[in-house]
Amino acid sequence: MKAIVNGTLYTMVNGIIENGTILIDAGKIIAIGKNITLPEGSEIISAKGCTVLPGLIDADCKVGIFEEGQGPIGNDTNEPVSLGAEFRASDATWWEDVAFDDCRKAGITALSIGPGSANLINGQSFVTKTAPGVIDHQIVRAFAGLKINICGTKSNQHDRTMDIASLQAQLQKAKELAAKNQKQIEKGEAPEENLKLDPLIALLNGSNFARINVFANHDIFNALELAKVWGFPLVLERCYEGHLALEEIVASGCSVIAGPTFINRVGSAKNLSLKMPGVLAKAGVKVALCSDHPTLPSENLATQAALCCRDGMPEELALQAITSVAAEILGVAERIGSLAVGKDADLAIFSGHPFKTATQCLATLINGEFVYQAEKGGACSC
């Protein structure tokens, strides 16, 4: 059993606990609070003067499928197929990518890894932890959104109208197959399996959600209209002009995975603003932040949140965007994203507040085990 003691605990669900203690056993948090009696024989880890957060979550990145230093053979982000619903990012992920280690050193314990957005339907994202070892053993959610782009893809001559028409044609096929399969089941017969349409059926029956890539405000309106007409759960990604479509996003009830927010404002990013995530979050929209690594290296996730905070996003909401709200949007909040009894013991110990420039991550734990410890660091003895 481990006991992290005397830290400032940012629970994300029950406020901030000064001089708090976290007890960890069998990979889970079994107690958290003040004045907790330590069981005899506990391994004590002093976090005096430190800030303890749940492990950070990057809500969208390409760690492991854009393998650093490997050249074209290590790039599995965009396949040359317009309709790739059957593609799974988990099949292409190389768990020895050095970016995983960078994440551990930055206190990031979970990633949503997904394909690129060059095509209309790009494939399935998944959520995994960042501990060393084969990815298959640490996947938290195998299907965490189907990535779609309706902003004028290359295969449709960069034409939005063709993108939307092609997507609706696929959704209609999925709807018809779902109806056919229901009749088969009612007759006691096996339903038809279809690798390309089954992921779309999952959207229509609500067991998965669409992650639609949108940049300009009219792309946002198109995505909202598609979700309304076809009735699927929607998460808007990038959402660079979300602040220009605030009323419609709020009314829709959809969530947003924003970012990366500090990149060169060229082309579709011309109206990108670091204020955008804060404008949406303050209006009640669930907002997570992402790096879209390697566009922004994933280890800069906390820096991105800090800059959003500087530009108007309340500190609490900015921290939630890389922890608890990110977990909620990805459908994994029952296990990760907050410090609470019963949750996985995934956490990061920082030398100070993570939004301060000089703050360093001193230690990162996943399932209660150290996956990173700084060689030297502040008053933390870990």
Side-chain angles (χ1 to χ4, degrees), residues 38-347:
L38 303 185
E40 187 176 349
S42 298
E43 176 188 353
I44 297 175
I45 301 155
S46 173
K48 186 177 181 180
C50 298
T51 301
V52 183
L53 267 75
L56 309 186
I57 302 171
D58 189 343
D60 184 47
C61 68
K62 299 175 182 64
V63 171
I65 62 173
F66 186 90
E67 301 156 15
E68 294 189 22
Q70 299 300 309
I73 191 66
N75 185 352
D76 289 291
T77 56
N78 290 295
E79 306 301 340
V81 177
S82 177
L83 304 175
E86 71 276 30
F87 296 151
R88 303 183 304 180
S90 56
D91 291 333
T93 303
W94 186 47
W95 56 274
E96 290 185 323
D97 183 359
V98 295
F100 280 108
D101 192 44
D102 293 338
C103 288
R104 292 189 287 270
K105 292 175 179 175
I108 298 170
T109 58
L111 305 169
S112 178
I113 300 172
S117 54
N119 304 307
L120 175 58
I121 302 178
N122 298 273
Q124 301 275 358
S125 299
F126 71 109
V127 179
T128 182
K129 299 195 179 187
T130 59
V134 178
I135 283 293
D136 300 35
H137 302 310
Q138 52 183 330
I139 289 178
V140 182
R141 183 175 180 182
F143 299 102
L146 180 64
K147 185 158 289 192
I148 296 168
N149 186 355
I150 56 169
C151 299
T153 58
K154 183 178 180 180
S155 55
N156 281 323
Q157 288 79 55
H158 303 288
D159 188 299
R160 291 182 172 88
T161 303
M162 290 180 66
D163 276 344
I164 293 171
S166 297
L167 176 60
Q168 295 205 92
Q170 288 299 107
L171 288 166
Q172 182 61 36
K173 290 178 183 178
K175 181 179 179 181
E176 292 170 359
L177 178 59
K180 176 185 173 184
N181 282 344
Q182 182 60 38
K183 292 180 180 177
Q184 295 285 97
I185 293 171
E186 291 172 357
K187 290 190 294 186
E189 299 176 1
E192 176 184 331
E193 295 182 359
N194 187 307
L195 290 176
K196 284 192 173 295
L197 295 181
D198 285 349
L200 292 166
I201 292 175
L203 299 187
L204 297 177
N205 66 26
S207 60
N208 202 358
F209 60 92
R211 310 171 68 133
I212 299 187
N213 214 59
V214 289
F215 298 105
N217 56 58
H218 50 283
D219 295 323
I220 296 172
F221 297 144
N222 288 336
L224 296 178
E225 180 68 16
L226 283 166
K228 182 178 180 181
V229 169
W230 291 94
F232 55 75
L234 172 65
V235 173
L236 298 174
E237 289 199 332
R238 306 294 172 266
C239 206
Y240 288 166
E241 295 188 357
H243 53 296
L244 304 179
L246 178 62
E247 183 177 339
E248 290 77 8
I249 293 173
V250 171
S252 74
C254 75
S255 302
V256 171
I257 295 177
T261 52
F262 64 105
I263 57 174
N264 195 310
R265 292 187 297 179
V266 297
S268 56
K270 67 178 182 179
N271 287 323
L272 174 63
S273 168
L274 279 163
K275 296 180 180 178
M276 177 268 291
V279 170
L280 297 181
K282 286 190 289 187
V285 178
K286 288 185 178 180
V287 176
L289 293 173
C290 74
S291 68
D292 191 31
H293 176 99
T295 305
L296 176 70
S298 195
E299 69 261 32
N300 294 300
L301 184 66
T303 302
Q304 178 173 225
L307 291 173
C308 290
C309 183
R310 182 202 66 185
D311 280 18
M313 194 173 195
E315 179 187 296
E316 181 181 12
L317 297 179
L319 286 171
Q320 291 173 349
I322 54 176
T323 55
S324 57
V325 171
E328 285 182 40
I329 293 174
L330 296 170
V332 294
E334 76 282 0
R335 288 184 56 186
I336 61 176
S338 59
L339 300 178
V341 172
K343 298 292 181 70
D344 293 1
D346 298 353
L347 49 92

Side-chain angles (χ1 to χ4, degrees), residues 8-13 15-17 51-54 315 319 339 353:
T8 299
L9 313 180
Y10 281 66
T11 68
M12 298 298 130
V13 289
I16 300 171
I17 303 171
T51 301
V52 183
L53 267 75
E315 179 187 296
L319 286 171
L339 300 178
H353 194 288

